[in-house]
Each structure stands twice: as structure tokens, then as C-alpha cells.
Amino acid sequence: MLRQPRRGPTPSNWASWKPFGIGEEHPNNFAEVGRAIWENRDRAGYAWRILNQGVCDGCALGTTGMHDWTIDGIHLCNVRLRLLRLNTMPAMDGALLGDVAALRRLSGAELRDLGRLPYPMLRRAGEPGFTRIGWDEALALAADRIRAAGPSRIGFYVTSRGIPNESYYAAQKAVRAIGTNSIDSSARLCHSPSTFGLKEALGVAATTCSYSDLIGTDLIVFLGSNVANNQPVMMKYLHLAKKAGTKVAVVNPYREPGMERYWIPSTVESALFGTRIDDRFFQINIGGDVAFLSGVLKHVLEQGWLDEEFASTHTTGLDELRAELDTADWESLERLAGASREEMLALARTVGEAKGAVFVWSMGVTQHENGEDNVRAIVNLALSRGFVGREGCGLMPIRGHSGVQGGAEMGCYATSFPGGLAVDEENAAKLSRQWGFEVPSEPGMTTPEMLAAAGHGELDVLFAAGGNFTEVLPDSASTEGALERIPLRVHMDIVASSQMLVDPAEEVILLPAMTRYEIPGGVTETSTERRVIFSPEIPGPRIDEARPEWEVMTELAARVRPEAAEQVRFAGTAEIRDEIGRLVANYEGIENLREAGDSFQYGGPMLCAGPSFPTPDGKAHFNRVSIPDSRPEDGRLVVSTRRGKQFNSMVQESHDSLTAAAREAVLINEHDARRLGLGQGDELLLRSDVGELRGHVHLAPIAPGNIQVHWPEGNALIAGGHLSPEADMPDYNARVTVEPLPASAQPSPDPSAN
Ligand code: SF4
């Protein structure tokens, strides 16, 4: 039974007695509101309607207007406010795109500030920039090239930038009508190991509980997740959870300041005195998750904290896992985890004494070469206590972007069909019957595979709806080189981005996209807690020639395969929802969503309730994990990338107000810095096997032997092609040497310039 938050003040949870945290480092959310009002002053009414009626296009917590289904009161954060201008800005002067060399000198933020893409444009090899073309010419050119290339030499990518379920569904259907499964989405780059690990263990591939399970349960464990930065309204949920007596444990290499204490502007008590968030912090090495969690589980088993009844009745695989853990020696676990066995015991005791717990993780867990095993280790620990399928219990791979949950579930995935069905003969045959055209049965190219094929000269057409490969993928130089080899690139987006400016091998087409708020008929998104939410079309100014992705990609497919045109075209988003409701598992009912506020939570508030697991044997599966030896023996440090004040690769400020770190900051432990002869602010050079990055020392409570740099700047250090084995997740970590630079050394170009 979940406890209710205390009504009166709870001074024991206060972060500081100084009103409004004066003198403390934290975001000034009141200033963010003022800034949003100023930025959107020319279209204030439209901006207000978007906030008031639309579903937030920021993270995947999910809203309807400025409310949600978890708490009373306002649901609004600075992430959404910073994104608002992208939706309200007018079109750019298209003539600016006539001079690509000049635009290449602009930062990503400056490119965005130019305004929305106004109309379709074309740039041929040798031309200095883009010139205007019509939609018909653009689609005819793309269709001709796709037809000539054949299904094996084309690739499609759809990002998560506010893109709704309807566009994802129609896009993947269109691409499959063209004859390939080579369509991927940004969901792969966030949580593909989570989807894989959950499906394998529980038979479901999404968060098993609701946000409301966080408030009043015994324990929440955050692993590799900084919700203070990425899902700010989650802090409001945590404030209430703390008032209900919920304990919060955080497992991470760096003690994120925002996870220690936070000031919530719309909650008077927290706005005044802040909220202390983590009750216990467990510091581990980058890549030490499996070793640490294996040590924790070993303690749970040895101390008799296993939920015997749950394990014997509802699970399989524990004996094999136990035998493996029995052979793991504590010294190795401690060395690899970067934490002592006593620390592991402390978390084991916390988990072992809790009657309910929710485990929340994010890309600190998934973006590793062994991302799947990291997820398996979390699931194993949760299963040892039976923390699934009950109130106050759950597994929550929290999503950072509003489109990723739906994108994967709609089948915008090279390796699965809508509803998460495997790409195989049986499912392809079934879909072929339902759709009325032949659906390919071989998995398509994932995003990293498309880029690899491009690098080898084996990709003739790339259609990217959003995204910015040159910034988000490791090894940007190779990525740019690969893009330069693709004969035709089509970039559909709302604003200009640096990948559009990469020189054409033959042609590059730009297509202007609508925002989710402009799409006639309204659209839906799916939140982290599996809530499918309707976002209505919002009346307001429009970019005359912008079109929705769903319409463009289906029209393209109709031109490539005229014989399938009738099957692939839709009359509008309502018709797409009808088809999703009929064909996609869990989405029955989406066809009834018509107005702002309409939603449903597929699977109900809780998956696996009972417990009951939709696996072939009806049981949850403990899975063995390999404990990777990720620690360098040669004195190098392990670096991972982190987010600052940004949304995806869109950097919004040169300083992160949660950490006080500048974009060029290298977060390093004081002990390591001293050993290297470095002090706060000193210039340094990081060198990995593939690249270099200049920065300056930012002393931080990070585990010794580990450092963090901001992403995407840190991509300079990350090798491409290191993928997790089952989910193809790129590894965003590297080993580096650290060299102090003399004070006179040239500073690096401003890395906020992206
Ligand atoms: S927490 Fe996420 S869903 Fe909520 S307002 Fe902020 S960005 Fe939007």
C-alpha cells in the first residue's frame, strides 16, 4: 500500500534553510519563465495555446497541456520552455541556405535561431548552396533515386524530436512498402538494451509501473540517470515521495548535484527551502554497474533477503545465476565496481528491507558496450525481491524524448515490426496480408549499419527525418565522411542543422516539416509510463510549405511503388490511428483519442500484475551476466559523456546551472587531478585512441579513475563501431590519457558552438 505524502512542512527533507537556496548552485526557473515569455513575445497567444493544450514535446514524462495524471497542479519545466521557440518561430530567409560555407561557421544554436525551414530546397555537388524547388520535384527526384538504388542500398531514419506515433507508424509502413526494413529511430540510441533486457526477462518491453508508484513506496533506486536535468518534473514527484517517507538511493559514478537537492519552483515548500533527494549515494566506476549489482545480489542471496516464494513460484534461472555469483570473488567485484563490498551490502540491505521498490535507469546504464547486461543486472536484482507486478514496485527505463517510446513500438525499427514483433517470415507474411503488399522478412540496417554502409560506398539514399548524425554519433569525422559518400541525402526537419551542410556526393534535398502542434487532425505520443496521449492541432501561424512526415513518406512510397499507393496512403491522422488500433499490440483504443486530455495507459497502471509474465513459460527469467573487465591497467582514465543544459544535442547554455560546469569542463576527482599536477580551472588535453579534446579541470565528486565530459563535444574521443552485442547500442565511453597544458596553450574553439 502506497503511503500518502505528509500535508504539513517536512523540515527533515529541506535542502537548505536559506530561502530560495540563495547562494546555492541551481537553476533559476523563474528566470526561465521570464526568458520564455520574452523569446515568444511575437507569438505569445500561440505559445500559450501550445503550453495549455498541447502535449509537451520535451521528455517522455508526458503531459496534457500543463497537467498530468500523477499529481495535482502545474506540470511545466525549463526543458519545455526552452523548446517552445522552435514551435513558434517564423520561417528563415531561404536565401541564407544559398551560401553553405557561411552557414558552416555558425553554431547549432545559431543555425536554429535562423528560423524554420521555409520550403523544399536542393543542392547539387559543386554548388555553393541550396536553391528552392517544389515538393513535386523533390519527391520525384527522391523516388527516382530510391527506385534505381533498390531496397538494399537505401536507409531511413526518424528521430524523436516531437515526432508523433502517427508519423512513426506511417513512415515505417511506407518504407516497408518500398521493400526494405532499413528504417531506424532514435529509440535505438537511448534504450534498445532496456527493451531487449526487459522483453527477455519479463516478456514486456516497457516500464512496468506508473509514476504514481514512485510516491509512497519504500524505495526508489536511480541508476545512471539524472532526472533533475532530463525529466525535471520528476523532481516534483520525488518531493512528494520524500514527504511520503520514500527513500531514494542513487547509483552513479558522479554525485549529481541535482539528485542531491533540488528547488521546485511550483511547490512553495521546495521553492523556499529545497528538497533533499538522495538518502544514500553509491559511487561506482563508469562501466562498473554489472560488478556492483552482482555484488549487491550476491549479498541479497547470502543474507537471506531473497523473496523465496516469488522466486520459486514465478521465476526461472536463479540457480544458474547463483552458481555464477558464488564463483565471483569479492576482490574482483570491488575493483571493477569501484565500490567496496560494504557499500554493496548497504544497498543490498536497503533493497532487502524494502517491501517495494522502483528501479529507474537511463543512458548511463544503456550506452555501454555491455548495455544489455547492465539492464539484466538491474532486472535480476529487482526479481530477487519480487519487485514487479505489485503496487509500489517496478522497472522504469525512463525516456528522455517524447517520441522514443512510441517510435519503437510503432515499428520504426530495423529489427522489429510494429508492436515489437520480430522481423521474420511469419510476421512478415502476416503483415503482408494485413497491409496488402509484400513486406520484407529480413531485418534491415540499423542506424550504425547504415552509416557503416555509407562509409563503404554501399548506401545510395539516406532519408533522415530530423536527427543530426554529425553531432550525436561517435567519431564525427567518420560520420561526416560517410554522409559525404551518399549520392542522395534527404533531410526533413523543422530547422537547419549541421548535417544538412555536409557536402553532397551528388544531391542533398531539404524538406520543411511541421511541428506536432501543426499537424491537421492532431496526433499522439506515448509516455514512459505507457500512456498514449492525444495532442490536438493548435490554431496559429503556419509555415506555408511545411508538411507532416507521415504524409511525405507515404507519398514517397506511393511514387516508388505505384502499385502499393492505395495501401500506403492515408487520408489523415485519424485514419492512421484507426489502423494502429487494429494492428499494433497494446494500442487498441488509440482510435478513440480525439481531444486534448484524451489518453489511455496501455496494459493498465501495472504490467505483469499478479504476477503474470507473458514469456513462453509464463515465468520471469533471471539471466546470467558477464562481468566486464573495463578498468584500464595502463594509467589511463575512463571517460564517459554527460548532458549539460541542453536537449539532446541542442546545447542551450554554456554553463550547466545544476553543476556550474562549463561546456569545456572535464569533471575530475580531486585526487586524480592532484596526481596529474592539475588544479581547478587548469587547461588539459584528453587523448583517446581516436581523437583529442581540450578542456579545463572541473573538480567534482566523481569516482577516482573516471572523468566526464559534455556530449556531443566528447564524441571526439569516442570510437565509432563499438556496439552492444544484441541491441546495437553504440558505446559512448573511452579510455584517455590526460595531459596538462601550459596556461599559454591555445584554448579550444568554444565547444558550445554546436
Ligand atoms: S518534465 Fe518532460 S514532459 Fe514534463 S514539462 Fe518537462 S520536458 Fe515536458
Side-chain angles (χ1 to χ4, degrees):
M1 186 71 179
L2 298 172
R3 292 181 298 272
Q4 291 300 309
R6 277 187 54 180
R7 285 184 173 273
T10 45
S12 58
N13 288 338
W14 291 355
S16 165
W17 285 81
K18 286 183 275 182
F20 299 104
I22 289 166
E24 304 269 356
E25 190 72 37
H26 64 88
N28 184 340
N29 290 302
F30 299 110
E32 291 282 346
V33 172
R35 180 191 171 112
I37 292 171
W38 177 255
E39 276 183 350
N40 295 281
R41 63 193 180 284
D42 59 338
R43 290 177 168 180
Y46 184 45
W48 175 250
R49 287 194 294 280
I50 288 174
L51 290 178
N52 209 28
Q53 300 165 24
V55 174
C56 174
D57 56 347
C59 85
L61 225 48
T63 72
T64 175
M66 289 184 280
H67 296 276
D68 66 23
W69 296 263
T70 307
I71 52 172
D72 295 329
I74 293 293
H75 179 137
L76 181 65
C77 80
N78 56 49
V79 173
R80 188 176 187 190
L81 290 173
R82 286 290 180 114
L83 290 173
L84 191 54
R85 187 60 180 155
L86 285 176
N87 295 294
T88 64
M89 61 170 50
M92 69 190 292
D93 174 3
L96 292 171
L97 283 160
D99 181 3
V100 165
L103 294 181
R104 285 189 75 126
R105 289 192 285 273
L106 301 184
S107 69
E110 288 167 331
L111 278 176
R112 290 192 292 278
D113 287 346
L114 294 175
R116 298 272 300 277
L117 290 177
Y119 35 70
M121 302 189 85
L122 172 68
R123 182 183 177 206
R124 293 199 164 87
E127 293 178 350
F130 292 89
T131 48
R132 183 174 187 168
I133 56 172
W135 271 104
D136 192 53
E137 186 184 349
L139 289 172
L141 174 58
D144 284 350
R145 292 307 203 86
I146 289 170
R147 214 178 299 111
S152 65
R153 295 179 68 91
I154 56 177
F156 296 78
Y157 174 82
V158 187
T159 191
S160 66
R161 181 256 314 133
I163 292 183
N165 290 331
E166 290 78 357
S167 287
Y168 284 121
Y169 180 82
Q172 60 82 32
K173 183 178 177 186
V175 170
R176 287 170 169 135
I178 288 171
T180 176
N181 286 312
S182 293
I183 178 159
D184 225 27
S185 70
S186 50
R188 177 172 307 283
L189 302 182
C190 301
H191 270 298
S192 51
S194 306
T195 308
F196 190 90
L198 287 172
K199 183 89 181 163
E200 172 190 65
L202 309 179
V204 299
T207 290
T208 64
C209 58
S210 301
Y211 305 136
S212 53
D213 286 296
L214 297 165
I215 302 171
T217 185
D218 282 359
L219 176 67
I220 306 169
V221 184
F222 285 95
L223 305 109
S225 178
N226 183 11
V227 291
N229 194 54
N230 301 317
Q231 295 90 1
V233 175
M234 174 67 89
M235 306 314 284
K236 208 164 173 177
Y237 303 168
L238 294 181
H239 169 78
L240 291 172
K242 296 295 304 257
K243 285 179 82 73
T246 301
K247 298 288 178 217
V248 175
V250 174
V251 181
N252 210 37
Y254 169 46
R255 186 160 196 185
E256 297 282 356
M259 298 300 288
E260 266 188 279
R261 77 276 185 285
Y262 197 87
W263 283 259
I264 298 155
S266 57
T267 302
V268 175
E269 182 185 8
S270 182
L272 273 174
F273 300 112
T275 306
R276 221 167 25 80
I277 304 295
D278 64 355
D279 295 281
R280 190 69 204 255
F281 172 65
F282 298 92
Q283 189 160 56
I284 63 168
N285 282 329
I286 294 165
D289 310 72
V290 175
F292 181 74
L293 293 169
S294 295
V296 174
L297 182 55
K298 193 171 160 81
H299 278 307
V300 167
L301 299 176
E302 288 176 3
Q303 298 291 330
W305 288 319
L306 175 74
D307 183 335
E308 299 273 3
E309 197 278 325
F310 176 86
S312 60
T313 313
H314 301 293
T315 73
T316 63
L318 180 59
D319 291 343
E320 293 83 349
L321 180 60
R322 190 198 297 264
E324 198 147 284
L325 289 174
D326 284 345
T327 65
D329 69 275
W330 285 111
E331 288 71 26
S332 298
L333 292 177
E334 287 179 315
R335 180 179 67 81
L336 298 170
S340 68
R341 72 192 79 176
E342 288 75 27
E343 286 285 283
M344 298 174 199
L345 178 61
L347 181 57
R349 186 185 305 283
T350 307
V351 171
E353 290 177 353
K355 293 194 173 57
V358 180
F359 292 78
V360 183
W361 70 92
S362 195
M363 280 132 71
V365 163
T366 57
Q367 288 189 333
H368 290 266
E369 225 170 351
N370 66 331
E372 297 89 341
D373 272 355
N374 286 344
V375 173
R376 285 182 182 114
I378 297 171
V379 177
N380 285 341
L381 183 58
L383 287 179
S384 74
R385 298 284 304 137
F387 288 158
V388 66
R390 288 193 281 125
E391 193 178 51
C393 297
L395 290 151
M396 182 181 291
I398 193 163
R399 312 273 175 165
H401 299 115
S402 57
V404 284
Q405 184 83 35
E409 289 169 351
M410 291 301 112
C412 252
Y413 230 45
T415 47
S416 62
F417 288 133
L421 296 176
V423 174
D424 59 23
E425 293 281 354
E426 187 184 338
N427 290 326
K430 190 170 159 204
L431 269 180
S432 300
R433 286 193 298 277
Q434 288 168 330
W435 281 342
F437 54 78
E438 192 182 340
V439 174
S441 58
E442 293 291 318
M445 284 183 274
T446 63
T447 309
E449 287 167 348
M450 288 178 209
L451 269 295
H456 296 127
E458 293 167 2
L459 194 76
D460 292 341
V461 180
L462 174 70
F463 188 117
N468 197 358
F469 292 142
T470 50
E471 290 184 6
V472 303
L473 289 176
D475 194 0
S476 344
S478 303
T479 302
E480 185 160 336
L483 290 177
E484 274 175 350
R485 296 196 66 181
I486 303 171
L488 173 67
R489 300 193 329 262
V490 184
H491 298 293
M492 183 166 187
D493 211 331
I494 57 175
V495 290
S497 67
S498 58
Q499 70 172 0
M500 298 174 181
L501 309 179
V502 172
D503 288 337
E506 292 178 20
E507 284 128 354
V508 176
I509 295 173
L510 305 186
L511 301 175
M514 283 182 169
T515 71
R516 64 164 57 177
Y517 307 115
E518 296 167 348
I519 298 178
V523 293
T524 59
E525 77 157 49
T526 308
S527 73
T528 288
E529 67 168 359
R530 299 169 277 103
R531 187 174 295 280
V532 187
I533 314 167
F534 185 79
S535 187
E537 180 186 359
I538 312 275
R542 295 288 185 262
I543 306 297
D544 289 345
E545 295 203 33
R547 293 173 69 173
E549 287 91 353
W550 73 260
E551 188 183 285
V552 173
M553 293 179 78
T554 52
E555 179 58 26
L556 187 59
R559 290 177 182 232
V560 175
R561 283 194 63 194
E563 69 278 15
E566 206 177 307
Q567 287 87 346
V568 88
R569 283 194 177 118
F570 290 98
T573 57
E575 191 175 298
I576 303 175
R577 283 190 290 281
D578 276 349
E579 186 166 311
I580 295 171
R582 274 187 282 114
L583 299 191
V584 181
N586 297 319
Y587 276 79
E588 188 181 344
I590 193 174
E591 66 279 9
N592 299 322
L593 306 184
R594 295 189 184 93
E595 292 175 12
D598 284 356
S599 81
F600 69 96
Q601 195 175 11
Y602 79 69
M606 190 185 302
L607 299 182
C608 309
S612 156
F613 298 99
T615 51
D617 58 6
K619 302 210 171 192
H621 294 205
F622 284 95
N623 283 295
R624 288 158 64 182
V625 291
S626 337
I627 302 172
D629 191 345
S630 56
R631 303 312 298 168
E633 300 289 344
D634 53 8
R636 288 191 293 174
L637 303 182
V638 179
V639 63
S640 72
T641 53
R642 61 174 291 103
R643 306 301 197 267
K645 177 66 181 161
Q646 66 192 85
F647 182 72
N648 198 8
S649 64
M650 293 181 225
V651 178
Q652 294 161 333
E653 285 292 337
S654 58
H655 275 75
D656 179 356
S657 54
L658 284 166
T659 61
R663 294 300 300 179
E664 62 271 29
V666 176
L667 277 63
I668 185 168
N669 174 285
E670 193 167 2
H671 168 78
D672 284 329
R674 208 177 315 116
R675 181 173 57 79
L676 293 159
L678 291 163
Q680 179 77 353
D682 286 353
E683 301 273 336
L684 77 173
L685 180 72
L686 306 181
R687 204 190 298 270
S688 72
D689 291 340
V690 297
E692 297 177 355
L693 185 73
R694 287 168 181 262
H696 67 231
V697 170
H698 183 94
L699 297 175
I702 189 167
N706 302 272
I707 54 179
Q708 290 191 353
V709 296
H710 283 114
W711 176 90
E713 294 89 333
N715 277 340
L717 300 168
I718 310 293
H722 287 183
L723 304 176
S724 70
E726 289 130 324
D728 273 6
M729 164 65 86
D731 181 11
Y732 280 87
N733 308 282
R735 297 172 181 199
V736 292
T737 57
V738 179
E739 294 170 28
L741 288 173
S744 58
Q746 283 293 312
S748 60
D750 178 10
S752 68
N754 59 65

